[in-house]
Amino acid sequence: MKKILTAAAALLLSVIWLPSATASTTHRVGIATYSLGDSVFELPPGSDGTSAKGELTAVVHYPKDLARHRYPVVLISHGLWISCADRQAWKDQDWEKLDAWPCAAGTPEIPNYRGYDYLGTTLAAQGMIVVSISANGSKARMGQEQDQARAALINQHLKMWQQLSSTGGGPLAGKLPVSFKGHADLTNVGLMGHSRGGRGTLFYAADQNQQNWPAGVRIKAVIPLAPAEPFSPDDDPDNPELDAYRITNIPVGGIIGSCDGAVRGRVYDYLQAHNSQPLYEWHIRGANHNFFNTQWSPASGQVGAEDDRPAGCTDKGLSEPQQRSAATAYTSAFFRRYLLNDRSGMPLLTGAVRPFAVDVKLDQGVGNRR
């Protein structure tokens, strides 16, 4: 029986990972990067009046068959991690050197934004343009000011892509090896943020902040991946402290691990208080925090990479490939549903089928409950 169930799970994954008829055929994937500089984007001023600048850098995974197609865009924002690959500084726990931005001369940066290439490849093969942005410079701010900085960075990248797709111009003109003019649909955008990137993504997409989106940009789906929780002094889902992160009118799918050593990651309860769009939470048993990003995972050999699984977690830990397989399955099915109108992954999203050990929460969105 176990072999039969394993075979069934493998068959299911082959179905949900490959595009259905509504998502066309599997696309060949191209990869490109752009960087306008490490200190070119002015972060929102700090409450103490200080100024700081960050980078405008990203990796793009895209379907190679751009001609006669207009694809949805998925933007990925990484979490809070060290910026500089200084092994001696890591040994000494010298955070000033590890968190410096830009890194000291001769010290390579840690490309945290490349930690989701596995997601970019899969989603691009299914008909999406995936832009994973670097946010190392956002650490010049902390608390909600960092969320504001991350939101401003997301806004700038989406604005540049809207200009590039609509006119072929803007800051990205000539920075990529192929023309995306007319091929990126910025009215059909999905956001995914990991850890502090997840919290910054919630801030960006929150109802009260949607007025700041660039003209011609519309967010249609949001995935907070093991997100840092917004601050709230109590468990009241209606606490005003949460309003800056409250999304009611966009589908949201949260992914968290039972062995996460960094965050609780739970946003379902406060979002469920008022959502009018589908809201999901997938609690992956045995998943930790770091394995979602390849740069933070031990197999990468990267400075600081580690397994953050707490010693007290009793669920069987997932390997790096197993954890990313689960993340890929749910991310793919969710974005295909809400960006490509492909419902073939709904049994996975709703928990009707569970090829992984996952607890599912689901609310289809019926408006204010309080």
Side-chain angles (χ1 to χ4, degrees):
M1 178 61 71
K2 184 176 181 181
K3 289 183 178 179
I4 293 174
L5 292 175
T6 302
L11 177 60
L12 171 66
L13 291 181
S14 71
V15 172
I16 63 174
W17 283 1
L18 294 176
S20 69
T22 59
S24 187
T25 58
T26 302
H27 303 265
R28 292 188 303 120
V29 175
I31 304 175
T33 59
Y34 62 85
S35 182
L36 307 186
D38 289 338
S39 302
V40 295
F41 179 66
E42 190 78 36
L43 301 179
S47 57
D48 58 359
T50 58
S51 61
K53 292 184 177 182
E55 72 273 34
L56 287 173
T57 297
V59 59
V60 185
H61 291 78
Y62 60 94
K64 282 190 171 182
D65 52 334
L66 291 173
R68 298 182 299 281
H69 290 284
R70 195 161 178 252
Y71 295 108
V73 174
V74 173
L75 185 142
I76 297 176
S77 178
H78 68 79
L80 181 64
W81 197 251
I82 59 176
S83 306
C84 305
D86 186 328
R87 294 193 182 278
Q88 186 60 48
W90 178 256
K91 182 179 179 180
D92 297 338
Q93 297 291 276
D94 187 335
W95 300 107
E96 184 174 350
K97 290 182 179 179
L98 292 167
D99 288 332
W101 190 257
C103 297
T107 301
E109 70 171 277
I110 295 179
N112 292 305
Y113 66 105
R114 298 301 303 263
Y116 313 98
D117 282 1
Y118 66 99
L119 288 174
T121 299
T122 298
L123 297 176
Q126 296 177 354
M128 304 172 223
I129 296 171
V130 185
V131 183
S132 183
I133 67 173
S134 180
N136 285 336
S138 68
K139 286 188 296 183
R141 303 282 181 258
M142 292 304 293
Q144 191 173 94
E145 290 187 357
Q146 184 176 136
D147 302 332
Q148 294 168 344
R150 286 175 174 274
L153 188 62
I154 291 170
N155 212 48
Q156 180 62 23
H157 279 275
L158 291 177
K159 180 180 179 180
M160 294 192 300
W161 272 91
Q162 198 282 330
Q163 292 173 314
L164 184 68
S165 183
S166 60
T167 69
L172 294 182
K175 302 297 184 181
L176 292 159
V178 296
S179 173
F180 286 92
K181 183 179 179 181
H183 302 307
D185 185 358
L186 273 298
T187 67
N188 193 18
V189 175
L191 300 178
M192 193 212 82
H194 180 203
S195 193
R196 283 301 296 267
R199 192 168 113 174
T201 296
L202 289 165
F203 184 92
Y204 181 74
D207 292 8
Q208 70 177 36
N209 299 322
Q210 292 174 11
Q211 62 184 341
N212 300 321
W213 297 350
V217 172
R218 290 293 177 268
I219 311 302
K220 297 295 182 66
V222 177
I223 293 181
L225 174 64
E229 305 86 351
F231 170 77
S232 180
D234 53 42
D235 292 328
D236 180 5
D238 285 322
N239 195 296
E241 292 277 0
L242 299 171
D243 288 347
Y245 305 88
R246 193 182 305 281
I247 303 170
T248 69
N249 55 3
I250 301 171
V252 177
I255 301 174
I256 56 177
S258 69
C259 295
D260 192 312
V263 300
R264 288 178 58 219
R266 295 185 177 275
V267 298
Y268 182 91
D269 290 341
Y270 84 82
L271 292 181
Q272 195 255 354
H274 299 286
N275 67 303
S276 61
Q277 291 292 319
L279 172 64
Y280 307 81
E281 183 177 86
W282 305 291
H283 190 256
I284 304 174
R285 295 180 212 165
N288 67 10
H289 192 75
N290 289 353
F291 287 3
F292 290 121
N293 186 310
T294 60
Q295 293 292 315
W296 305 358
S297 302
S300 70
Q302 185 59 269
V303 175
E306 60 186 5
D307 182 348
D308 66 288
R309 172 189 172 90
C313 186
T314 58
D315 288 334
K316 182 180 179 180
L318 299 181
S319 67
E320 294 182 27
Q322 287 172 333
Q323 183 164 322
R324 289 177 207 134
S325 292
T328 300
Y330 286 94
T331 300
S332 169
F334 183 78
F335 282 140
R336 281 168 48 192
R337 167 64 186 90
Y338 294 105
L339 301 183
L340 297 175
N341 197 29
D342 175 358
R343 297 175 178 267
S344 62
M346 284 303 293
L348 182 76
L349 300 182
T350 62
V353 294
R354 306 191 189 200
F356 308 97
V358 174
D359 298 317
V360 179
K361 289 183 179 180
L362 168 63
D363 189 303
Q364 290 292 357
V366 295
N368 196 316
R369 292 163 184 72
R370 299 179 185 273

